[in-house]
Amino acid sequence: MTTRKKAAIIGGGVIGGGWAARFLLNGWDVVISDPDPDAERKIGEVLANARRSLPALSDCTVPQEGNLHFASSIKDAVQDAGWIQESVPERLDLKHKVFAEIQEHCPPDALIGSSTSGFKPSELQQCVKKPNQIFVAHPFNPVYLLPLVELVGAPDTVERAKAVLDAMGMKPLIVRKEIDAHIADRFLEAVWREALWLVKDGIATTEEIDDAIRFGFGLRWAQMGLFETYRIAGGEAGMKHFIAQFGPCLEWPWTKLMDVPELTDELIDTIAGQSDAQSGMHSIRELERIRDDNLVSMMRALKARNWGAGALLADHDERIKPPLPSDITQPLQTLHRVIPIDWTDYNGHMNESRYGQVFSDAGDVVMAMVGADAEYIDGGMSYFTVDNHIRYLAESVAGDEIRVRTQVLEAKGKKLRMYHEMLRADGELLATCNQLLIHVSLETRRSCDPAPHVLAKIDALGEAQAKLPQPESMR
């Protein structure tokens, strides 16, 4: 295959722009051909989103961005291109015309992918000089983030395409036989068709249907797909038991979908055998733990964005979180929680950065105690951490129940110094942190005196805590 790393994007709409971003941010030079006079502006807006999101998926240095150019014609765009991606509207006659012009001017070994969501390769290849050069490369929006690409075409061509996509961090799925709408869109169309009936018949609103997906099976599908999810539903007896229990209801008139195949013994054995090959290396208990860990990680990620199921978790936390400590004459119990799976690293214990988060969260409790809460911060004043000294004394792993005990060492004027002890539920000291915060104006980003009501609470807290003996772990 050619070693050139130049991609030509024919059609710069939503999908074409996403392809351009995916290639460009993976170090490819990109040339775009689109007759729309606003193409450069639209592509620029897509790239702005991609530049802030795609690199955030990586925990290492991403490739240097390639060069972006706009061509005045298909001829100028495809010369010397190693990959050519057609993303013009879904009109077969238009695609045929575009492919003919591409093949007239492109290198003979260039890969020519089509973003079509429905046409088969045999339909795209009609009346072209080199049919096997053209294949389906059907992505999902946004192309620069979602990894799946369905590949359909000549085996040697799609294998070459797969190598390119693998190198860009995507998930090429080679479709075994060509079929209208490939694989994923057939599922989507089935769900979409049923959703339209539910709305038309007054059964559910569009929001209620979306909630059914994003708060329910969508979370399971996102990390295990369909068959592995149902394998777990079958319990220890596995897929055969699931089909035996729920298969007959497929013949009931529950939905307005198309007919289902007859569940013969042969078909059941085929599905069960494929499920064994896919997941049989794990016990049901192991699969449940994998599933649960994945769900916790995904839902916590949504929680950080306060979106979907994550917003539900955040609301629940607000309801169940304990009241702020009220006895300021004793060490303050500022945190009580369990270590989540997404806080652990390759060593199987909590990553050192998360200790900082634990102590930061504990410090936030003290801030709220003195009145520097969310409303205060919205008003333009807050505390910034300017110094942290953390000692790591023992390991903490996912599932550990921890508490943080906090003692205020200094609370006067702009300064708030705290000493935190992180302990496991059994009392073992895991880590300590000496933390200094300075009060600031969020407008000037400089230190300033707290508001009078906060200052009064700071002074009272500092005086009460100064009477406590020094923590043993400081001695």
Side-chain angles (χ1 to χ4, degrees), residues 57 65 78 83 137 157 163 169 179 189 211 221 232 278 287 302 307 316 385 412 429 437 463 475:
L57 294 177
E65 185 173 317
V78 302
W83 183 295
T157 304
I179 184 173
E189 184 175 339
D211 284 347
W221 283 10
I232 294 176
Q278 176 184 358
L287 283 173
L302 289 170
W307 190 264
H316 185 58
T385 299
K412 194 163 185 65
L429 185 62
L437 279 65
E463 289 175 7
R475 299 171 192 170

Side-chain angles (χ1 to χ4, degrees), residues 48 50 52 103 115-116 143 177-178 239 281 320 337 373:
R52 70 178 295 274
Q103 286 195 327
S115 299
T116 180
V143 184
K177 299 177 181 179
E178 68 169 32
M239 183 61 81
M281 72 292 296
I320 66 173
R337 61 162 306 146
D373 53 15

Side-chain angles (χ1 to χ4, degrees), residues 74-143:
I74 291 177
K75 174 183 176 181
D76 292 339
V78 302
Q79 291 178 356
D80 299 323
W83 183 295
I84 301 163
Q85 187 69 23
E86 171 271 310
S87 299
V88 302
E90 290 284 84
R91 286 175 30 213
L92 195 56
D93 60 334
L94 176 60
K95 291 183 183 292
H96 287 161
K97 179 181 178 182
V98 168
F99 286 134
E101 189 170 356
I102 288 172
Q103 286 195 327
E104 184 177 351
H105 302 289
C106 75
D109 61 345
L111 291 163
I112 306 176
S114 173
S115 299
T116 180
S117 58
F119 292 125
K120 301 187 290 287
S122 59
E123 296 173 308
L124 299 174
Q125 296 165 351
Q126 294 169 0
C127 306
V128 299
K129 295 179 180 179
K130 295 177 62 178
N132 284 355
Q133 190 178 22
I134 297 169
F135 62 98
V136 169
H138 175 234
F140 293 83
N141 186 44
V143 184

